[in-house]
Amino acid sequence: QPKTYKIEPQVNINIPAHLPNVPRVFNAFSRWYSTKELSSIIADYERMHGEYDMIMISRFDVIWQQPLLFNLLDRDAFYVSNVIDPWPAPGDGDLWGWPHTGMPELSDHWFISNSKYMHDFCNVYNHLDIYTLPGQCPSWNYISQHMITKWHLTKLGLESKIKFTKFWHKNLDSGDYSIIRHIKN
């Protein structure tokens, strides 16, 4: 029962000159553009009906195995998923990403927080031209959604608010959720 929505053709995303206009970069910019637009839609709805206690932004391809109980979450936190390292390597089965490893990255599958933190987070698109400059946000293969997520939360002063809940596992043989493309046939 959507309260409101916006459907539009793919917009023309202007990739900064310091990045190649390749699918990976275009997809990242497009994803964060959509997140910014979503925040605008939510803010318009909140102006008419009151602020949400919590907002969850999720990818469409998440498959849940376990319920997510919002009433147990801290409204002054910014939640992301724990990720069990899915790659076959020494340490397989360990927690992945910041702060569990030395890599400055967080899962980008879904985010949950209060209205203010979420709207601040959703403006990441407005900073991508700077974040992607050499010497700014770490990257992998030109750009990394995971690294941008961590970088932006740190820039917003929300790093101390990051909390983890639920576990992702690649094949749903354990964990609370997975991504559709990773499900075994």
Side-chain angles (χ1 to χ4, degrees), residues 15-87:
I15 304 301
H18 63 271
L19 289 171
N21 192 353
V22 296
R24 178 177 176 81
V25 172
F26 181 86
N27 292 345
F29 272 74
S30 184
R31 182 262 175 95
W32 294 118
Y33 169 82
S34 295
T35 301
K36 175 182 75 93
E37 291 297 298
L38 175 63
S39 177
S40 177
I41 291 168
I42 294 168
D44 288 345
Y45 187 83
E46 286 179 319
R47 278 190 283 282
M48 294 185 297
H49 301 283
E51 192 174 275
Y52 285 110
D53 293 337
M54 305 277 290
I55 296 172
M56 178 180 192
I57 294 178
S58 176
R59 291 172 33 163
F60 289 117
D61 59 349
V62 172
I63 299 175
W64 288 94
Q65 293 239 118
Q66 301 295 324
L68 181 57
L69 303 175
F70 288 85
N71 61 320
L72 300 179
L73 301 179
D74 175 359
R75 289 176 43 192
D76 193 44
F78 192 97
Y79 287 95
V80 297
S81 170
N82 268 309
V83 173
I84 303 297
D85 185 357
W87 310 115

Side-chain angles (χ1 to χ4, degrees), residues 106-124:
L106 292 167
S107 170
D108 68 337
H109 298 155
W110 49 264
F111 311 103
I112 303 169
S113 196
N114 63 54
S115 183
K116 180 185 179 344
Y117 293 168
M118 191 57 75
H119 289 299
D120 289 347
F121 176 72
C122 288
N123 75 9
V124 65

Side-chain angles (χ1 to χ4, degrees), residues 70-163:
F70 288 85
N71 61 320
L72 300 179
L73 301 179
D74 175 359
R75 289 176 43 192
D76 193 44
F78 192 97
Y79 287 95
V80 297
S81 170
N82 268 309
V83 173
I84 303 297
D85 185 357
W87 310 115
D92 189 24
D94 293 338
L95 290 174
W96 168 92
W98 179 91
H100 314 295
T101 69
M103 296 301 293
E105 54 192 343
L106 292 167
S107 170
D108 68 337
H109 298 155
W110 49 264
F111 311 103
I112 303 169
S113 196
N114 63 54
S115 183
K116 180 185 179 344
Y117 293 168
M118 191 57 75
H119 289 299
D120 289 347
F121 176 72
C122 288
N123 75 9
V124 65
Y125 178 80
N126 298 332
H127 302 278
L128 288 179
D129 287 4
I130 293 172
Y131 288 177
T132 57
L133 285 169
Q136 291 293 313
C137 179
S139 65
W140 180 82
N141 201 11
Y142 307 116
I143 197 164
S144 167
Q145 308 279 22
H146 307 291
M147 292 175 181
I148 286 171
T149 295
K150 170 63 171 66
W151 185 266
H152 188 54
L153 286 169
T154 299
K155 291 289 187 184
L156 291 173
L158 294 177
E159 184 175 298
S160 67
K161 302 291 186 178
I162 298 170
K163 289 189 178 181

Side-chain angles (χ1 to χ4, degrees), residues 169-180:
H169 197 275
K170 186 173 185 177
N171 293 318
L172 276 182
D173 50 2
S174 64
D176 300 308
Y177 76 97
S178 191
I179 303 299
I180 289 172

